[in-house]
Amino acid sequence: MIEFHPATRTFYLALHTSYYAFYVDDDGRVLHLGWGVSPNPQSKIQNPKLAESYLSLSSFDFQLLPQEILTFGDVTSTRESLKVSFGQLGQPLAEGEAAHLPVRDVRLRYTGHEVSETAVPGLAPTHGLPTAVTTPRQTLLVHLQAPLYPTFRATLHYRLTPEHDVLERWVTLENSGENPVAIETCAFASLHLPHGTTQLTSLAGAWAREFTTERTILPHGSHITESRTLQTGHSANPVWLLNRPHQAWEESGTVYFAALAYSGSWQTAIEHLPHGAIRLHAGYNPFDFALTLAAGEQHTTPALVCGVSDNGWGGASRRLHAFTRERILPAPQPRPVLYNSWEATYFNVTVQNQITLARKAAEFGVELFCVDDGWFGGRRHDRAGLGDWVVSPEAFPDGLRPLVDEIHSLGMKFGLWVEPEMVNADSDLYRAHPDWVLHFPGRPRTEARNQLILDFGRPEVVEHIFGLLDALVREYDIAFFKWDMNRNASEPGSVAGRGIWRAHVAGVYGVMDRLRRNHPQLDIQSCSGGGGRIDLGILGRVDQVWTSDNTDAFDRIRIQEGFSLGYPARAMEAWVTHEQNHITQRVAPLSLRFDVAMRGVLGIGSSLNELSAAELEQYASYIAFYKQFRHVVQNGHLYRLERLEEGGASAVQYVLPNGREAVFSMALRDYQVGHFRPRPILRGLNGEGVYTAVNRHGAEVLRATGYELMTLGIPREPQEHVGYSRTLYLRQE
Ligand code: GLA
């Protein structure tokens, strides 16, 4: 609900358990008032004067006003949300003043507001597929203008999803003048958090070590995380949780959350100002950034998604999960069990070995068969073929049709790996168009994994790639693309100039959206050497993501726990692979590999030819078990009952909103003899209900009331040891 109190020009945004308030001061500045948990649903703020003690003024802190948009001009000594330079003054120049141009001073003042039910942020999906919930949402638009340069305007957007306490913030910039305006920095939004909100929980990593949870207390100064490449990046994921130290935990306390819906070069600065104020600025990375608004042009940024939880980090995650499931993921449907042949055959793909794998996979219950790298062009190794998205006659002498038909007749869907943004120098595409890659003329073109990046700033490149993929989907009735992106950027020379950082993201989103519009049966998985392109922007056009190339179950417990901070289980592809992991060389029991992979969207990546008949039977039994409860994992609320940092064990629970079905999953990564772990206490069940818990064999291992399970918890088993795990499916009788 959006309320405006005209007498004090106060805006009050009411969400389910939280509020957000700001007002317009006498000079037309839009000033933040507060954001937090609502004391009660009826309460509101109408009197901004109460907050004015917040604004201390001395000759050193006169710029500290908490403006909803902080512009360079109103502020210079703290970080800004927006920096603009004007080549002209906006009024006649006095003699000698030309030397002061361009003017790097923009002040934005309120001119009016409106409420829209159709506003969307920049780079919103255009595929036309519905999300799970499509009821209209209200967006407050606050219009601002530069009084001394009236042809420059900005509109602040606040879209409310009250049921999840989520606000989406973005900004539209407009130049209705005759001269170009250069945007030098541009956050999608700046957030003002209460003083002392200095405990930050965030996600860092690297290839094969994605989603490592870090928790820190922010000292004074700025804490910066960013991506300086064309995708979201492995080293930091754009999700943040913030709270006052010692005042929030997993299931209690006030926790603020923010996440970017953008998959390119982003930056977030969390600023801890000398007086204790905390600000979070997130949006385009100012690194190598340029955005010029020509006469009559406007630009709308993507969104910063944010909110506040009154029940700890877990409540923040559940809000983000529900928001993503209901409002971001396209056309949600149960995610199929997938088989991917990468770790079975690597580049040695042949029609025969894929058919052999497909037959075995179908027998134990796989629903989607994906052929990974190696099926196209001259791709017999990673030094050739990228860019030539045509079926390799060497691997498939009669084309893909025999394999596709076989997979369909086995009752499975067919999927393919692609890496559309890339090209090998040894490819027909590069030989024909050496100018189609990012490069600076006359300068070296650095290859990584032997590949170069196509210049998506060129419309003809985007069209060419779209045309090839579109034809493939049409010809082979492809149900799934694993869309990969395997290197960071270098030498970002493009016909789009510095705009390439944004143009690349827009190009990728555009190709995905058009493919999905043309082929509603097509699902897409985002992969970038594992989890390098995971964010709320890409999730608007893909169904799932490849969390990490690291499929070691012990490492996965940690990676998946970190992933769960921001993203829902139904988007998290997780594979069971070989007993001895190919990356870490560690050996993990089959039970652990399945129990951990069943926490998300189950996939199989093992070489089936190396498995005995007995092992294949076990695979079949686990897959059948997963299919019984996957709707709970994929649609339920997640509770992290025990986190790794608490003692080496991870216990999670998924529970349907009506409390009638739940899945309990625990895995022990480290174990100290002599240390008794607490019994995991379940949540979200119906107290009076009687539940039975079954294991994979259908054996009833526990019968108890919801009240007992939520007080006494799940009994531990005597033989728990490193590598021990179990999954129980609980149903109310
Ligand atoms: C990347 C992906 C892997 C696999 C290979 C294929 O590394 O993350 O899963 O698809 O590429 O080359």
Side-chain angles (χ1 to χ4, degrees):
M1 193 186 36
I2 296 168
E3 285 189 37
F4 178 64
H5 191 247
T8 54
R9 299 206 288 182
T10 304
F11 293 91
Y12 186 79
L13 314 183
L15 299 115
H16 181 50
T17 59
S18 58
Y19 76 94
Y20 190 100
F22 54 93
Y23 75 111
V24 181
D25 78 358
D26 294 343
D27 294 329
R29 295 187 192 90
V30 182
L31 295 178
H32 186 75
L33 273 175
W35 180 29
V37 173
S38 309
N40 68 57
Q42 277 79 41
S43 65
K44 55 179 98 142
I45 296 172
Q46 291 183 349
N47 180 7
K49 299 278 173 227
L50 290 172
E52 285 196 349
S53 57
Y54 189 37
L55 318 172
S56 87
L57 294 174
S58 79
S59 62
F60 293 99
D61 54 18
F62 61 95
Q63 292 188 328
L64 285 180
L65 290 175
Q67 299 202 49
E68 284 287 295
I69 180 164
L70 298 145
T71 55
F72 189 92
D74 269 330
V75 301
T76 45
S77 52
T78 62
R79 287 180 177 271
E80 76 275 0
S81 333
L82 180 70
K83 183 175 180 189
V84 175
S85 74
F86 302 106
Q88 311 290 323
L89 200 55
Q91 63 255 35
L93 284 174
E95 203 182 329
E97 279 198 320
H100 293 258
L101 294 176
V103 174
R104 301 181 315 284
D105 180 333
V106 62
R107 297 164 203 240
L108 294 170
R109 299 295 179 258
Y110 173 82
T111 57
H113 67 272
E114 62 187 297
V115 174
S116 160
E117 289 205 338
T118 54
V120 290
L123 298 181
T126 56
H127 48 57
L129 299 170
T131 48
V133 179
T134 53
T135 48
R137 285 172 290 176
Q138 291 197 320
T139 304
L140 171 64
L141 281 67
V142 179
H143 299 296
L144 308 169
Q145 188 175 30
L148 293 175
Y149 204 96
T151 51
F152 185 73
R153 297 190 193 83
T155 301
L156 310 182
H157 294 76
Y158 302 78
R159 181 161 69 177
L160 281 69
T161 308
E163 61 274 29
H164 304 312
D165 291 296
V166 165
L167 268 181
E168 286 162 277
R169 300 266 321 262
W170 69 91
V171 63
T172 297
L173 306 173
E174 186 190 342
N175 172 23
S176 59
E178 286 170 5
N179 301 305
V181 170
I183 313 296
E184 297 191 1
T185 57
C186 178
F188 307 162
S190 291
L191 306 176
H192 298 274
L193 291 105
H195 279 46
T197 310
T198 55
Q199 184 169 41
L200 170 70
T201 307
S202 57
L203 297 166
W207 174 79
R209 192 180 65 78
E210 297 88 338
F211 295 103
T212 305
T213 307
E214 294 188 332
R215 191 164 287 128
T216 186
I217 304 290
L218 296 167
H220 285 92
S222 291
H223 174 76
I224 291 180
T225 43
E226 62 185 356
S227 156
R228 292 163 74 100
T229 181
L230 295 163
Q231 73 276 35
T232 326
H234 289 83
S235 54
N237 189 271
V239 169
W240 306 272
L241 308 186
L242 285 138
N243 57 275
R244 289 191 171 173
H246 313 300
Q247 296 199 25
W249 293 270
E250 183 59 27
E251 288 300 335
S252 60
T254 300
V255 173
Y256 292 81
F257 56 90
L260 277 175
Y262 184 59
S263 315
S265 171
W266 56 268
Q267 187 186 77
T268 291
I270 307 178
E271 207 177 5
H272 183 180
L273 291 172
H275 305 78
I278 307 289
R279 295 173 178 174
L280 184 151
H281 315 268
Y284 296 128
N285 197 335
F287 149 77
D288 203 32
F289 177 76
L291 169 60
T292 300
L293 295 183
E297 252 185 1
Q298 52 170 261
H299 178 84
T300 298
T301 71
L304 174 66
V305 175
C306 60
V308 55
S309 151
D310 63 351
N311 44 359
W313 302 314
S317 298
R318 283 189 293 280
R319 282 170 174 81
L320 278 168
H321 297 170
F323 175 74
T324 306
R325 280 196 309 262
E326 293 182 6
R327 296 290 189 169
I328 293 192
L329 288 167
Q333 48 195 297
R335 302 306 313 143
V337 177
L338 165 151
Y339 179 77
N340 179 296
S341 56
W342 175 238
E343 291 195 22
T345 49
Y346 291 109
F347 290 105
N348 180 30
V349 173
T350 66
V351 65
Q352 204 42 57
N353 67 22
Q354 299 302 300
I355 286 180
T356 307
L357 290 168
R359 287 184 182 153
K360 291 193 175 177
E363 235 168 78
F364 63 53
V366 163
E367 298 156 312
L368 164 63
F369 186 92
C370 180
V371 178
D372 209 280
D373 202 349
W375 60 268
F376 55 92
R379 191 74 169 171
R380 306 282 78 202
H381 42 68
D382 69 9
R383 298 182 301 283
L386 283 177
D388 299 338
W389 301 109
V390 288
V391 178
S392 153
E394 205 182 313
F396 297 96
D398 302 315
L400 273 181
R401 190 42 70 192
L403 176 62
V404 176
D405 288 347
E406 176 76 18
I407 285 170
H408 286 164
S409 73
L410 290 165
M412 296 186 293
K413 292 178 172 178
F414 175 66
L416 272 185
W417 177 95
V418 288
E419 195 179 358
E421 299 142 78
M422 298 293 161
V423 66
N424 286 117
D426 184 0
S427 67
D428 293 342
L429 181 65
Y430 190 70
R431 279 182 283 274
H433 299 285
D435 50 336
W436 275 15
V437 298
L438 295 180
H439 70 284
F440 291 110
R443 298 289 186 278
R445 303 171 180 202
T446 306
E447 294 181 17
R449 207 192 186 205
N450 312 302
Q451 59 200 55
L452 296 159
I453 305 178
L454 289 171
D455 181 0
F456 269 35
R458 286 178 183 265
E460 67 273 28
V461 172
V462 176
E463 276 315 303
H464 176 81
I465 293 298
F466 169 76
L468 290 175
L469 298 179
D470 191 63
L472 268 176
V473 181
R474 205 176 300 279
E475 185 171 353
Y476 295 113
D477 190 20
I478 292 171
F480 179 84
F481 272 145
K482 173 177 171 184
W483 182 304
D484 211 336
M485 203 289 193
N486 275 317
R487 60 162 292 182
N488 284 343
S490 59
E491 302 103 22
S494 159
V495 296
R498 291 173 196 234
I500 186 58
W501 301 104
R502 286 175 295 106
H504 189 90
V505 180
V508 170
Y509 286 178
V511 173
M512 288 182 172
D513 287 355
R514 285 167 71 193
L515 286 171
R516 297 201 69 152
R517 199 162 57 227
N518 285 0
H519 310 284
Q521 88 282 3
L522 177 71
D523 286 0
I524 302 180
Q525 171 170 289
S526 170
C527 171
S528 174
R533 185 149 57 196
I534 298 177
D535 59 80
L536 297 184
I538 201 75
L539 283 171
R541 51 269 299 173
V542 303
D543 305 272
Q544 59 192 49
V545 294
W546 181 224
T547 325
S548 177
D549 279 351
N550 184 346
T551 56
D552 176 321
F554 287 98
D555 282 356
R556 271 294 176 127
I557 303 172
R558 178 186 51 70
I559 291 171
Q560 295 183 183
E561 188 174 291
F563 179 94
S564 80
L565 274 192
Y567 304 104
R570 72 164 301 129
M572 182 179 75
E573 177 75 8
W575 296 356
V576 170
T577 54
H578 306 91
E579 185 174 26
Q580 178 167 26
N581 190 268
H582 284 191
I583 290 180
T584 64
Q585 303 303 315
R586 185 158 38 187
V587 171
L590 188 65
S591 51
L592 181 73
R593 285 178 277 147
F594 264 102
D595 285 330
V596 172
M598 292 193 302
R599 292 177 168 196
V601 176
L602 178 63
I604 310 294
S606 326
S607 176
L608 306 181
N609 301 328
E610 290 167 25
L611 300 178
S612 66
E615 282 172 307
L616 288 172
E617 257 175 48
Q618 281 190 305
Y619 273 59
S621 143
Y622 274 111
I623 291 171
F625 185 42
Y626 176 73
K627 286 180 181 171
Q628 286 176 37
F629 62 71
R630 68 172 146 190
H631 61 288
V632 184
V633 171
Q634 295 183 12
N635 302 323
H637 298 313
L638 169 76
Y639 291 91
R640 290 179 290 259
L641 304 177
E642 208 175 330
R643 288 172 295 121
L644 285 176
E645 67 184 285
E646 291 163 4
S650 156
V652 296
Q653 179 198 352
Y654 305 84
V655 56
L656 288 184
N658 65 14
R660 297 186 62 86
E661 292 176 69
V663 172
F664 169 76
S665 165
M666 75 87 51
L668 202 51
R669 199 187 61 171
D670 307 308
Y671 174 63
Q672 287 182 354
V673 177
H675 177 247
F676 285 8
R677 296 180 22 257
R679 282 189 308 273
I681 305 291
L682 299 195
R683 292 177 173 267
L685 303 177
N686 300 313
E688 297 300 307
V690 176
Y691 291 80
T692 48
V694 296
N695 64 15
R696 148 173 91 95
H697 305 291
E700 181 181 312
V701 294
L702 185 66
R703 190 163 181 277
T705 64
Y707 192 86
E708 286 164 336
L709 292 165
M710 293 191 291
T711 51
L712 303 177
I714 298 258
R716 289 198 318 269
E717 291 202 298
Q719 74 277 27
E720 294 182 4
H721 49 78
V722 168
Y724 166 85
S725 65
R726 71 167 162 165
T727 303
L728 299 177
Y729 175 29
L730 295 100
R731 259 172 302 186
Q732 191 176 339
E733 291 174 0

